[in-house]
Amino acid sequence: MSDTTGHESAPSAHGTTPVPPAAASIPPEKSPASAGPADDSGRVAAWRLLAGNPVTLISGIALAVIVLVSVLAPWVAPYGINDVNVVDALQGPSGTHWFGTDDLGRDIFSRVLIAGGTSLRIALVSVAFAFVVGVPVGIVSGYTGGILDTVLMRVVDVMFAFPVLLLALAIVAILEPGELTTMLAIGIVYTPIFARVARASTLSVRVEPYVQVSQTMGTPARTILVRHVLPNITGPIVVQTSLSLAFAILSEAALSFLGLGIQPPDPSWGGMLFNAQGFISQAWWMSIFPGAAIFVTVLACNLLGDGLRDVLDPKQRTLAEQRRMR
């Protein structure tokens, strides 16, 4: 049997009507975030590349140890954080007090451990707040465009106009200083960053073919954002999250150093540095150990963020793979 063009149409093996070549060449709609064998091999390669970077691996292990010790601090700390013993005041590091004692005879090792749990808790909650508020704002702004995008981004620009610490200080000054206020202040300060990162990533994703096909098929915008846009912008957001954790720890330490963060007698790394100012010449350990805790934790977060960027960013990942093959 011949068609109108004169070509023979071969019957199928089961007697069904054959699929036209043009229709057979149209691939089904599929987002790059969809799971499949190729994606699984890509994930394995990504984990292998991440584990193959010694700096990233060491920083990840160090951060995991810091988190574990901070969580177990109430049971690991050998002394109470406010056990005053004036007789043992300003004692140097020893077998009894590993990090020495402060001007009131309190064990610095115990206070550093408990303060680490407080700093990590504040950083996690504040960054989670910034993530939950900033990412939806950025996605909606980048995908919708128009007047809504202009209004939302102008609000973000206004918040960016203030230095991070100055804006946090203003929020804390309006409210009562404390742990909850510190979380809220840091969360508000870092919300615009997540909004900017999410918007920039959404602008590049919304022009992809799979998004345009979904729009043509009449898929609701909310479904497109959840199923196509959000899964494909997770890379930059994950990297920004790890970096924001480091800056949140620094912000909490700065606020506590200025007396507007964690309030005494609860310990904080920034507050311990403030108390050590008058004893640097005669009790160096009062400032060295809290400062070292801040340095190691922030450095581990930053190095881990750099490693995640090398894996999640396609350009950086290609460069990392090329360096590894050399």
Side-chain angles (χ1 to χ4, degrees), residues 73-85 96-97 100-102 104-115 265-267 272:
W75 298 275
V76 174
Y79 299 94
I81 57 176
N82 292 313
D83 291 347
V84 177
N85 188 354
T96 305
H97 300 281
T101 60
D102 61 7
L104 298 178
R106 296 174 296 187
D107 183 64
I108 294 179
F109 178 70
S110 300
R111 292 176 64 82
V112 167
L113 292 183
I114 300 298
D266 295 331
M272 295 175 70

Side-chain angles (χ1 to χ4, degrees), residues 130-169:
F131 179 94
V132 171
V133 177
V135 171
V137 170
I139 292 177
V140 172
S141 177
Y143 182 80
T144 305
I147 186 64
L148 181 60
D149 178 36
T150 301
V151 172
L152 291 177
M153 288 302 102
R154 294 301 77 77
V155 174
V156 169
D157 290 339
V158 170
M159 298 181 67
F160 267 125
F162 295 92
V164 172
L165 185 57
L166 181 61
L167 181 58
L169 287 173

Side-chain angles (χ1 to χ4, degrees), residues 18 28-29 138 141-142 155 203 232 243 248-249 269 305:
E29 177 191 356
S141 177
V155 174
L203 288 175
N232 289 287
L243 296 177
I249 293 174
W269 290 337

Side-chain angles (χ1 to χ4, degrees), residues 29-102:
E29 177 191 356
K30 183 178 181 181
S31 167
S34 303
D39 298 308
D40 293 338
S41 61
R43 293 191 185 98
V44 172
W47 280 109
R48 188 176 303 167
L49 183 62
L50 190 64
N53 188 339
V55 176
T56 303
L57 185 61
I58 293 174
S59 61
I61 294 174
L63 188 60
V65 171
I66 292 172
V67 172
L68 180 63
V69 172
S70 299
V71 171
L72 300 177
W75 298 275
V76 174
Y79 299 94
I81 57 176
N82 292 313
D83 291 347
V84 177
N85 188 354
V86 181
V87 177
D88 292 335
L90 299 179
Q91 296 294 317
S94 63
T96 305
H97 300 281
W98 291 358
F99 289 179
T101 60
D102 61 7

